[in-house]
Amino acid sequence: MSTTSPIVTLALPLQPTDHMQGPEHARVTLIEYGDFECPTCKVAAPTVKMLLDQFPNQIRFGYRHFPLQDAHPHAFLAAEASESAAAQGRFWPMHDLLFRNQTHLKDNDLHRYATEVGLDMADHIYLQRVREHIDSGRRSHIRATPTFFVNGVVQDISFGMLELHKAVEAAVRHAHHM
């Protein structure tokens, strides 16, 4: 009888509507399900940036929302604010601003950040978009943030971000030998 856990795979591959960085032709896809109020997600963001810098033409990174509302009461509104920014072509600046100001994500803070990055905030127009991300995360058996998938397979980062770096590096190496 085997005691190994089944491999968790991504239920929904990267979509054209996802928030992405990196070239379309990249052979390695890294997807994060994150929460703007999650301290570990904030710690993970520089690692993702470092990976994109280290492998500039080899990784396509996608970010999806998975606000854990019970633990992070402002995360859902922050996700909506980032979607409003995305509709105006400013997702990544808002993404970075929200993580930099993670302890200040109340409604009035979000409106102030929108003004800082030159946006018009729309109330609850993007609620469904955030819910779609949450639904795809649940179908991928996500329970915590951040959760990362490298080429569709979940990566255990419970022992630190070095594990994610090793997984991406291995995927890049493997892609070169194909």
Side-chain angles (χ1 to χ4, degrees), residues 45-143:
T47 300
V48 171
K49 183 170 177 14
M50 182 188 69
L51 287 167
L52 289 167
D53 290 345
Q54 185 175 352
F55 304 108
N57 295 312
Q58 298 150 318
I59 299 174
R60 181 97 163 144
F61 172 63
Y63 182 89
R64 292 180 178 164
H65 304 288
F66 200 77
L68 300 170
Q69 292 174 275
D70 291 341
H72 307 129
H74 307 104
F76 200 99
L77 279 177
E80 281 188 273
S82 74
E83 286 300 320
S84 186
Q88 297 169 65
R90 308 284 294 155
F91 175 81
W92 294 109
M94 183 62 106
H95 167 277
D96 296 348
L97 187 60
L98 292 172
F99 275 130
R100 274 196 311 275
N101 296 287
Q102 186 175 65
T103 57
H104 304 285
L105 297 177
K106 291 184 177 151
D107 198 42
N108 61 329
D109 298 315
L110 297 173
H111 283 280
R112 190 174 68 251
Y113 304 148
T115 302
E116 275 182 46
V117 294
L119 304 173
D120 294 320
M121 283 290 279
D123 288 338
H124 307 297
I125 291 175
Y126 300 100
L127 182 71
Q128 185 58 33
R129 179 95 178 100
V130 175
R131 285 185 177 149
E132 288 167 4
H133 283 199
I134 294 168
D135 180 59
S136 73
R138 286 185 179 140
R139 287 185 288 135
S140 295
H141 306 288
I142 292 172
R143 292 187 298 279

Side-chain angles (χ1 to χ4, degrees), residues 12-73:
L12 181 67
L14 209 53
Q15 302 293 301
T17 55
D18 282 322
H19 308 295
M20 296 177 269
Q21 292 179 311
E24 238 178 89
H25 65 274
R27 290 191 166 176
V28 176
T29 301
L30 174 63
I31 295 179
E32 174 186 1
Y33 279 89
D35 172 328
F36 288 116
E37 206 170 358
C38 165
T40 309
C41 293
K42 181 178 180 174
V43 170
T47 300
V48 171
K49 183 170 177 14
M50 182 188 69
L51 287 167
L52 289 167
D53 290 345
Q54 185 175 352
F55 304 108
N57 295 312
Q58 298 150 318
I59 299 174
R60 181 97 163 144
F61 172 63
Y63 182 89
R64 292 180 178 164
H65 304 288
F66 200 77
L68 300 170
Q69 292 174 275
D70 291 341
H72 307 129

